[in-house]
Amino acid sequence: MEGSESEAVFDSLNVNPQLFINEVFNLVDDLVDDACNHFHQQASTSLKIEGTDRTQDLSKGINVIRKKVQSDIDKRLAMWEQHCHNHFFQVPEGFMLPKSDETPVDTSICQNAICDPDLDAQLDILRNNLTKVGKESAALNRELKSLERQSTSNNHISALNEISLLYDQNSYHEMFQEMMKTASELRTKIGKLKTRKIEETEHNKADKIYNPRRDPSMMGIGKGFSGAKLEDLQEVLVHLKNR
């Protein structure tokens, strides 16, 4: 970077990139020295070799480690320094600092370029419309849910009505069937009583012919069910009461 356009720019700003890089190198060296010294003290205490001949051996071993670490760090720092010169401290081609006698740029022009009152008003209108649409959408969703609940309730009521109607129809049907059964049983019993009455009437006629001297009051001649047996009439009456 020495003698380049970038160096001239930094010199005009009283900035020295190389001084910054050297400060970083010195800081790294100090950190490595402190780490090695701390390691030497901890190792001497742990091995209990303070003041013995083995202290020199420990120092030699730590120096070997330090040189290895320092060598790797120096390689990486050299790459970092080159990267800084190529990217961080390299100004674009054709870059020129403004002269002190030049009129500063009017920042209001830039502000007007990005601040348009008409555009801001249109954006506000769009935001308001979007808010209204959101509220209307929420209201429609609530109304839709309410209608769905009402529809579900009406469906339940209709189903209950249908079930009730079917139940009533079945009840009437059962009652009608029971009445038909009762009427059939009554007709059967009445038919039996009539048959018995006819048989008794024929029997009395024959008895009158063959026994003319018999007391007529002893004959069971009559109309309707007067000649029927008492237990048969009672059975019919009980059957009618139960129905």
Side-chain angles (χ1 to χ4, degrees), residues 89-114:
F89 303 118
Q90 186 72 28
V91 298
E93 185 177 357
F95 176 81
M96 295 181 61
L97 291 173
K99 296 180 181 180
S100 59
D101 57 348
E102 290 182 355
T103 303
V105 179
D106 188 2
T107 57
S108 62
I109 298 176
C110 298
Q111 293 178 355
N112 292 333
I114 60 176

mmCIF file of all heavy atoms in Angstrom, residues 89-114:
data_model
loop_
_atom_site.group_PDB
_atom_site.id
_atom_site.type_symbol
_atom_site.label_atom_id
_atom_site.label_comp_id
_atom_site.label_asym_id
_atom_site.label_seq_id
_atom_site.Cartn_x
_atom_site.Cartn_y
_atom_site.Cartn_z
ATOM 1 N N PHE A 89 -8.156 -1.580 4.067
ATOM 2 C CA PHE A 89 -7.469 -0.299 3.908
ATOM 3 C C PHE A 89 -7.188 0.008 2.444
ATOM 4 O O PHE A 89 -6.178 0.636 2.112
ATOM 5 C CB PHE A 89 -6.155 -0.297 4.709
ATOM 6 C CG PHE A 89 -6.356 -0.588 6.167
ATOM 7 C CD1 PHE A 89 -5.775 -1.706 6.756
ATOM 8 C CD2 PHE A 89 -7.120 0.248 6.953
ATOM 9 C CE1 PHE A 89 -5.963 -1.980 8.093
ATOM 10 C CE2 PHE A 89 -7.305 -0.021 8.295
ATOM 11 C CZ PHE A 89 -6.734 -1.137 8.867
ATOM 12 N N GLN A 90 -8.060 -0.405 1.581
ATOM 13 C CA GLN A 90 -7.923 -0.150 0.148
ATOM 14 C C GLN A 90 -9.144 0.649 -0.302
ATOM 15 O O GLN A 90 -10.271 0.160 -0.264
ATOM 16 C CB GLN A 90 -7.845 -1.466 -0.636
ATOM 17 C CG GLN A 90 -7.562 -1.294 -2.111
ATOM 18 C CD GLN A 90 -6.119 -0.873 -2.366
ATOM 19 O OE1 GLN A 90 -5.226 -1.177 -1.585
ATOM 20 N NE2 GLN A 90 -5.897 -0.168 -3.448
ATOM 21 N N VAL A 91 -8.920 1.885 -0.715
ATOM 22 C CA VAL A 91 -10.034 2.732 -1.139
ATOM 23 C C VAL A 91 -10.380 2.418 -2.584
ATOM 24 O O VAL A 91 -9.533 1.950 -3.355
ATOM 25 C CB VAL A 91 -9.670 4.225 -0.984
ATOM 26 C CG1 VAL A 91 -9.400 4.560 0.462
ATOM 27 C CG2 VAL A 91 -8.472 4.583 -1.857
ATOM 28 N N PRO A 92 -11.623 2.629 -3.011
ATOM 29 C CA PRO A 92 -12.006 2.356 -4.399
ATOM 30 C C PRO A 92 -11.220 3.220 -5.379
ATOM 31 O O PRO A 92 -10.793 4.333 -5.061
ATOM 32 C CB PRO A 92 -13.503 2.696 -4.428
ATOM 33 C CG PRO A 92 -13.943 2.656 -3.002
ATOM 34 C CD PRO A 92 -12.765 3.068 -2.191
ATOM 35 N N GLU A 93 -11.059 2.704 -6.567
ATOM 36 C CA GLU A 93 -10.326 3.430 -7.600
ATOM 37 C C GLU A 93 -11.096 4.687 -7.997
ATOM 38 O O GLU A 93 -12.306 4.654 -8.213
ATOM 39 C CB GLU A 93 -10.128 2.532 -8.821
ATOM 40 C CG GLU A 93 -9.272 3.162 -9.904
ATOM 41 C CD GLU A 93 -9.047 2.221 -11.067
ATOM 42 O OE1 GLU A 93 -9.514 1.061 -10.986
ATOM 43 O OE2 GLU A 93 -8.424 2.638 -12.053
ATOM 44 N N GLY A 94 -10.393 5.796 -8.074
ATOM 45 C CA GLY A 94 -11.015 7.065 -8.436
ATOM 46 C C GLY A 94 -11.616 7.808 -7.270
ATOM 47 O O GLY A 94 -12.238 8.862 -7.464
ATOM 48 N N PHE A 95 -11.435 7.275 -6.052
ATOM 49 C CA PHE A 95 -11.997 7.945 -4.884
ATOM 50 C C PHE A 95 -11.216 9.215 -4.601
ATOM 51 O O PHE A 95 -9.982 9.231 -4.620
ATOM 52 C CB PHE A 95 -11.937 7.009 -3.678
ATOM 53 C CG PHE A 95 -12.408 7.642 -2.404
ATOM 54 C CD1 PHE A 95 -13.757 7.747 -2.120
ATOM 55 C CD2 PHE A 95 -11.484 8.148 -1.494
ATOM 56 C CE1 PHE A 95 -14.182 8.330 -0.942
ATOM 57 C CE2 PHE A 95 -11.908 8.732 -0.314
ATOM 58 C CZ PHE A 95 -13.263 8.829 -0.037
ATOM 59 N N MET A 96 -11.938 10.289 -4.327
ATOM 60 C CA MET A 96 -11.309 11.573 -4.031
ATOM 61 C C MET A 96 -12.017 12.201 -2.845
ATOM 62 O O MET A 96 -13.252 12.195 -2.765
ATOM 63 C CB MET A 96 -11.392 12.521 -5.242
ATOM 64 C CG MET A 96 -10.605 12.052 -6.456
ATOM 65 S SD MET A 96 -10.730 13.226 -7.833
ATOM 66 C CE MET A 96 -9.995 14.678 -7.087
ATOM 67 N N LEU A 97 -11.223 12.739 -1.945
ATOM 68 C CA LEU A 97 -11.790 13.431 -0.800
ATOM 69 C C LEU A 97 -12.300 14.797 -1.225
ATOM 70 O O LEU A 97 -11.710 15.447 -2.099
ATOM 71 C CB LEU A 97 -10.733 13.590 0.289
ATOM 72 C CG LEU A 97 -10.292 12.303 0.991
ATOM 73 C CD1 LEU A 97 -9.125 12.602 1.930
ATOM 74 C CD2 LEU A 97 -11.443 11.709 1.777
ATOM 75 N N PRO A 98 -13.411 15.254 -0.654
ATOM 76 C CA PRO A 98 -13.909 16.587 -1.016
ATOM 77 C C PRO A 98 -12.938 17.670 -0.552
ATOM 78 O O PRO A 98 -12.335 17.569 0.518
ATOM 79 C CB PRO A 98 -15.244 16.663 -0.277
ATOM 80 C CG PRO A 98 -15.113 15.713 0.858
ATOM 81 C CD PRO A 98 -14.249 14.589 0.354
ATOM 82 N N LYS A 99 -12.808 18.685 -1.381
ATOM 83 C CA LYS A 99 -11.940 19.805 -1.022
ATOM 84 C C LYS A 99 -12.648 20.704 -0.022
ATOM 85 O O LYS A 99 -13.872 20.775 0.021
ATOM 86 C CB LYS A 99 -11.564 20.589 -2.271
ATOM 87 C CG LYS A 99 -10.750 19.772 -3.258
ATOM 88 C CD LYS A 99 -10.399 20.601 -4.474
ATOM 89 C CE LYS A 99 -9.592 19.783 -5.483
ATOM 90 N NZ LYS A 99 -9.237 20.573 -6.691
ATOM 91 N N SER A 100 -11.854 21.374 0.754
ATOM 92 C CA SER A 100 -12.414 22.198 1.826
ATOM 93 C C SER A 100 -13.220 23.370 1.297
ATOM 94 O O SER A 100 -14.123 23.867 1.967
ATOM 95 C CB SER A 100 -11.292 22.703 2.742
ATOM 96 O OG SER A 100 -10.355 23.458 1.976
ATOM 97 N N ASP A 101 -12.912 23.866 0.070
ATOM 98 C CA ASP A 101 -13.611 25.026 -0.460
ATOM 99 C C ASP A 101 -14.859 24.660 -1.257
ATOM 100 O O ASP A 101 -15.540 25.540 -1.785
ATOM 101 C CB ASP A 101 -12.674 25.852 -1.349
ATOM 102 C CG ASP A 101 -12.100 25.015 -2.481
ATOM 103 O OD1 ASP A 101 -12.251 23.767 -2.426
ATOM 104 O OD2 ASP A 101 -11.500 25.593 -3.412
ATOM 105 N N GLU A 102 -15.160 23.349 -1.378
ATOM 106 C CA GLU A 102 -16.346 22.934 -2.116
ATOM 107 C C GLU A 102 -17.587 23.108 -1.257
ATOM 108 O O GLU A 102 -17.560 22.941 -0.037
ATOM 109 C CB GLU A 102 -16.224 21.473 -2.555
ATOM 110 C CG GLU A 102 -15.177 21.271 -3.641
ATOM 111 C CD GLU A 102 -15.129 19.822 -4.090
ATOM 112 O OE1 GLU A 102 -15.849 19.004 -3.471
ATOM 113 O OE2 GLU A 102 -14.385 19.507 -5.021
ATOM 114 N N THR A 103 -18.700 23.446 -1.931
ATOM 115 C CA THR A 103 -19.963 23.630 -1.227
ATOM 116 C C THR A 103 -20.510 22.269 -0.809
ATOM 117 O O THR A 103 -20.572 21.345 -1.626
ATOM 118 C CB THR A 103 -20.980 24.331 -2.130
ATOM 119 O OG1 THR A 103 -20.413 25.575 -2.570
ATOM 120 C CG2 THR A 103 -22.289 24.579 -1.388
ATOM 121 N N PRO A 104 -20.881 22.132 0.435
ATOM 122 C CA PRO A 104 -21.415 20.831 0.868
ATOM 123 C C PRO A 104 -22.722 20.509 0.160
ATOM 124 O O PRO A 104 -23.469 21.398 -0.249
ATOM 125 C CB PRO A 104 -21.629 21.019 2.375
ATOM 126 C CG PRO A 104 -21.759 22.493 2.564
ATOM 127 C CD PRO A 104 -20.864 23.127 1.521
ATOM 128 N N VAL A 105 -22.961 19.240 0.024
ATOM 129 C CA VAL A 105 -24.167 18.776 -0.658
ATOM 130 C C VAL A 105 -25.387 19.099 0.188
ATOM 131 O O VAL A 105 -25.395 18.902 1.408
ATOM 132 C CB VAL A 105 -24.086 17.262 -0.926
ATOM 133 C CG1 VAL A 105 -25.364 16.770 -1.614
ATOM 134 C CG2 VAL A 105 -22.860 16.962 -1.772
ATOM 135 N N ASP A 106 -26.424 19.615 -0.471
ATOM 136 C CA ASP A 106 -27.669 19.947 0.223
ATOM 137 C C ASP A 106 -28.417 18.654 0.543
ATOM 138 O O ASP A 106 -28.909 17.965 -0.359
ATOM 139 C CB ASP A 106 -28.517 20.862 -0.664
ATOM 140 C CG ASP A 106 -29.732 21.388 0.084
ATOM 141 O OD1 ASP A 106 -29.870 21.062 1.284
ATOM 142 O OD2 ASP A 106 -30.537 22.109 -0.537
ATOM 143 N N THR A 107 -28.483 18.344 1.816
ATOM 144 C CA THR A 107 -29.136 17.092 2.209
ATOM 145 C C THR A 107 -30.641 17.147 2.037
ATOM 146 O O THR A 107 -31.302 16.112 1.990
ATOM 147 C CB THR A 107 -28.812 16.781 3.680
ATOM 148 O OG1 THR A 107 -29.236 17.879 4.496
ATOM 149 C CG2 THR A 107 -27.321 16.569 3.869
ATOM 150 N N SER A 108 -31.199 18.361 1.941
ATOM 151 C CA SER A 108 -32.647 18.464 1.776
ATOM 152 C C SER A 108 -33.091 17.885 0.445
ATOM 153 O O SER A 108 -34.212 17.398 0.303
ATOM 154 C CB SER A 108 -33.083 19.924 1.884
ATOM 155 O OG SER A 108 -32.490 20.702 0.850
ATOM 156 N N ILE A 109 -32.189 17.941 -0.568
ATOM 157 C CA ILE A 109 -32.536 17.365 -1.871
ATOM 158 C C ILE A 109 -32.735 15.863 -1.741
ATOM 159 O O ILE A 109 -33.692 15.283 -2.273
ATOM 160 C CB ILE A 109 -31.437 17.691 -2.904
ATOM 161 C CG1 ILE A 109 -31.326 19.205 -3.090
ATOM 162 C CG2 ILE A 109 -31.722 16.999 -4.226
ATOM 163 C CD1 ILE A 109 -30.200 19.617 -4.022
ATOM 164 N N CYS A 110 -31.831 15.216 -0.999
ATOM 165 C CA CYS A 110 -31.951 13.773 -0.798
ATOM 166 C C CYS A 110 -33.204 13.440 0.006
ATOM 167 O O CYS A 110 -33.895 12.455 -0.269
ATOM 168 C CB CYS A 110 -30.708 13.241 -0.090
ATOM 169 S SG CYS A 110 -29.191 13.477 -1.043
ATOM 170 N N GLN A 111 -33.487 14.282 0.999
ATOM 171 C CA GLN A 111 -34.668 14.021 1.809
ATOM 172 C C GLN A 111 -35.941 14.162 0.992
ATOM 173 O O GLN A 111 -36.873 13.374 1.125
ATOM 174 C CB GLN A 111 -34.689 14.968 3.008
ATOM 175 C CG GLN A 111 -33.565 14.706 4.001
ATOM 176 C CD GLN A 111 -33.584 15.692 5.150
ATOM 177 O OE1 GLN A 111 -34.386 16.626 5.155
ATOM 178 N NE2 GLN A 111 -32.697 15.487 6.117
ATOM 179 N N ASN A 112 -35.971 15.191 0.110
ATOM 180 C CA ASN A 112 -37.151 15.366 -0.730
ATOM 181 C C ASN A 112 -37.312 14.221 -1.716
ATOM 182 O O ASN A 112 -38.418 13.878 -2.123
ATOM 183 C CB ASN A 112 -37.067 16.691 -1.495
ATOM 184 C CG ASN A 112 -37.174 17.890 -0.561
ATOM 185 O OD1 ASN A 112 -37.778 17.789 0.498
ATOM 186 N ND2 ASN A 112 -36.570 19.012 -0.948
ATOM 187 N N ALA A 113 -36.169 13.648 -2.101
ATOM 188 C CA ALA A 113 -36.233 12.556 -3.072
ATOM 189 C C ALA A 113 -36.887 11.315 -2.473
ATOM 190 O O ALA A 113 -37.516 10.527 -3.183
ATOM 191 C CB ALA A 113 -34.831 12.218 -3.573
ATOM 192 N N ILE A 114 -36.718 11.135 -1.166
ATOM 193 C CA ILE A 114 -37.277 9.936 -0.544
ATOM 194 C C ILE A 114 -38.525 10.248 0.282
ATOM 195 O O ILE A 114 -39.149 9.340 0.818
ATOM 196 C CB ILE A 114 -36.223 9.263 0.358
ATOM 197 C CG1 ILE A 114 -35.777 10.211 1.459
ATOM 198 C CG2 ILE A 114 -35.044 8.797 -0.468
ATOM 199 C CD1 ILE A 114 -34.807 9.581 2.438
#
